[in-house]
Amino acid sequence: MTIARPAKLAVTLAGALAALLLPTAAPAQAQSACSTATAAPADTQADAPAEGGADPEQARLRDARTAAFTERAGLGDFVHRFPAALCTTRSAAEAERLVDAWGEALWRAAVNRAQGRRTGGDLPARDDRPLYWTRLAMTVRLAQWRPDFTVDADRLRQRFEDASRGLRDNGFSGAPDVRRVFVSGFDPFGLDTELRRANPSGSAVLQLNGRRITLADGTRAEIRAVVLPVRYGDFDRGIVERAFGPRLAPGPRAADQITTISQGYPGLFTLEAWAGRARSADPYPDNVGALSGGTRDHPVTAPGLGPGAEFIATSLPAEEMTAVQQPFPVRLNSAVTEIPAGGDRPVDREDGPTPGSRAVAGGGGGYLSNEVAYRSNRLRLELAPDLPGGHLHTPVLTGLPALPDQLTGPDLERNEAAITDEVLDILRHATP
């Protein structure tokens, strides 16, 4: 047990607890004596950062519906109290400890809410969108903060993001005779087309994080999870490796299996047989409007990748996992797109890559869902090659109400429940 030596640490922890224990304050009351930007208007999550402006992802917070996701999930105090907590810090080190603590508190609140241990608000517990919009609003508040000492703003944001996504203080318990399963999901995406979109992969992992389940062979398993951003830049800066590296390093608390999860195709689950090394999804952007630089005709290798094959095969137990067929069918997808050895044009293949070819797209395409599978399994082959790993695509979540001011509805909630319950069933069958 670590003993809290300085009194400063008590301030940091108290700041994190304030978001959970104090009554909701109006945004204007959240300001303190240190320099912060003007408080957010009542109908939006937050103003743009005072310097440099909001990035395209943060700019969506100007839509009043984003604040409704936070408030109607009972998470409003996180946004309202965060600026005042920042203003209690007196050094860069204190600020780092505070954003770690608040990020971890937000992650725990979202997990507890998804698993029915935290009440508040009228949005369904399974909804992943409140975590996304609350985290994003807090990053704007962090950018608005103007302390009277020097801080590395990019470093603070990364630490807060990592903590609020489950990358910190989220290790396995190490209980004997319990398998350790590590999974990842994603934020909502495609929000310029439909701001209310959810992502069932994020919903599923929030419901699974920390749970003990019984596998199909009767053994017990513990699941730990992270939710990853839909941003190329974060992948370039190693967020996948930061998430999976500690779980793949040898030791008594290392994972026994990894599965990356994302939203995929309408009406079915696909277990992807192959992950490709390339990015090729342009002109489809990420959540900040960035492009990968790679297209079907001109794929590119993602920055920061270590050495590895053009394609990596899944080592998950495909036969057992695809035995689950209700309520959605589960298929093994062996399709890839490659540039054959000696060729210069992409070729679609239904039965996997051919020797010496260059990757264009894995079964999950050339976007970040393919890349998380490649990065995590490239690292798996480096650190724990005998460990099973692969990627699962969920069905597309449908059922949003026709009226744009309605955030949820029975069809959406029923479909989300069906998908996330089947994710658990598929993982139960992932026994080698």
Side-chain angles (χ1 to χ4, degrees):
M1 178 180 293
T2 302
I3 299 174
R5 294 185 296 273
K8 295 176 182 177
L9 183 56
V11 173
T12 300
L13 297 177
L17 289 173
L20 304 179
L21 301 178
L22 293 178
T24 302
Q29 296 173 307
Q31 307 303 311
S32 80
C34 78
S35 178
T36 56
T38 304
D43 61 346
T44 61
Q45 283 274 27
D47 287 334
E51 294 179 7
D55 66 37
E57 192 172 28
Q58 293 170 329
R60 297 188 189 101
L61 293 166
R62 296 189 178 99
D63 189 308
R65 293 173 296 177
T66 66
F69 281 115
T70 294
E71 298 297 337
R72 290 178 57 185
L75 299 179
D77 274 353
F78 280 96
V79 178
H80 303 325
R81 299 291 187 178
F82 191 39
L86 286 169
C87 289
T88 66
T89 62
R90 295 296 177 264
S91 69
E94 279 190 49
E96 289 184 2
R97 289 195 294 269
L98 186 132
V99 298
D100 289 348
W102 276 69
E104 290 169 20
L106 177 59
W107 171 252
R108 288 193 299 270
V111 168
N112 287 337
R113 187 175 184 279
Q115 298 180 20
R117 293 187 298 271
R118 179 187 173 98
T119 59
D122 62 349
L123 289 178
R126 295 175 185 259
D127 200 330
D128 66 306
R129 297 170 295 177
L131 171 61
Y132 173 74
W133 291 113
T134 302
R135 179 197 303 115
L136 195 58
M138 293 175 73
T139 67
V140 173
R141 296 301 177 108
L142 182 59
Q144 291 172 332
W145 180 45
R146 298 292 179 265
D148 56 5
F149 51 88
T150 301
V151 296
D152 184 334
D154 291 338
R155 176 178 170 84
L156 285 179
R157 176 165 180 178
Q158 178 181 298
R159 291 181 71 105
F160 173 73
E161 291 255 5
D162 282 5
S164 63
R165 294 179 177 280
L167 272 69
R168 298 178 60 88
D169 192 27
N170 191 26
F172 293 105
S173 65
D177 302 319
V178 176
R179 286 182 59 80
R180 297 174 294 276
V181 178
F182 190 65
V183 299
S184 67
F186 272 107
D187 286 344
F189 65 99
L191 301 170
D192 287 332
T193 303
E194 173 52 78
L195 186 82
R196 298 172 297 164
R197 279 185 175 152
N199 192 324
S201 71
S203 174
V205 301
L206 287 174
Q207 293 172 59
L208 292 171
N209 184 62
R211 287 182 58 181
R212 296 275 181 90
I213 64 172
T214 300
L215 301 177
D217 64 359
T219 59
R220 296 285 288 167
E222 177 184 349
I223 302 177
R224 290 289 171 177
V226 293
V227 175
L228 298 172
V230 184
R231 297 189 298 245
Y232 286 114
D234 292 78
F235 275 54
D236 295 347
R237 292 185 290 272
I239 192 169
V240 176
E241 289 77 8
R242 293 199 306 276
F244 282 84
R247 310 299 187 259
L248 293 171
R253 297 191 178 187
D256 295 310
Q257 177 181 302
I258 62 171
T259 303
T260 54
I261 309 171
S262 65
Q263 182 175 236
Y265 308 101
L268 79 161
F269 281 88
T270 54
L271 183 64
E272 304 302 341
W274 298 95
R277 188 173 175 84
R279 289 176 176 173
S280 58
D282 293 356
Y284 192 82
D286 68 6
N287 271 354
V288 294
L291 299 175
S292 71
T295 66
R296 175 183 168 88
D297 290 328
H298 300 284
V300 298
T301 299
L305 279 181
E310 286 293 302
F311 290 96
I312 297 176
T314 185
S315 55
L316 291 173
E319 184 176 353
E320 291 82 359
M321 295 172 76
T322 56
V324 179
Q325 292 293 313
Q326 295 294 330
F328 298 96
V330 184
R331 304 282 187 258
L332 178 65
N333 179 24
S334 298
V336 300
T337 304
E338 65 175 15
I339 298 176
D344 59 2
R345 302 295 299 169
V347 176
D348 296 326
R349 298 195 183 277
E350 294 299 319
D351 55 354
T354 56
S357 67
R358 181 185 177 191
V360 175
Y367 194 51
L368 291 171
S369 58
N370 168 79
E371 188 169 325
V372 71
Y374 186 90
R375 283 183 178 269
S376 60
N377 284 281
R378 191 213 65 80
L379 193 63
R380 172 183 63 81
L381 291 174
E382 179 182 309
L383 299 177
D386 296 329
L387 180 150
H391 187 80
L392 178 69
H393 265 123
T394 75
V396 173
L397 178 59
T398 60
L400 279 169
L403 295 176
D405 61 337
Q406 294 181 357
L407 303 185
T408 190
D411 289 343
L412 179 72
E413 294 170 22
R414 181 169 53 251
N415 293 339
E416 185 173 54
I419 293 172
T420 58
D421 286 349
E422 191 167 351
V423 169
L424 175 57
D425 198 16
I426 293 168
L427 292 176
R428 282 198 176 108
H429 284 77
T431 54

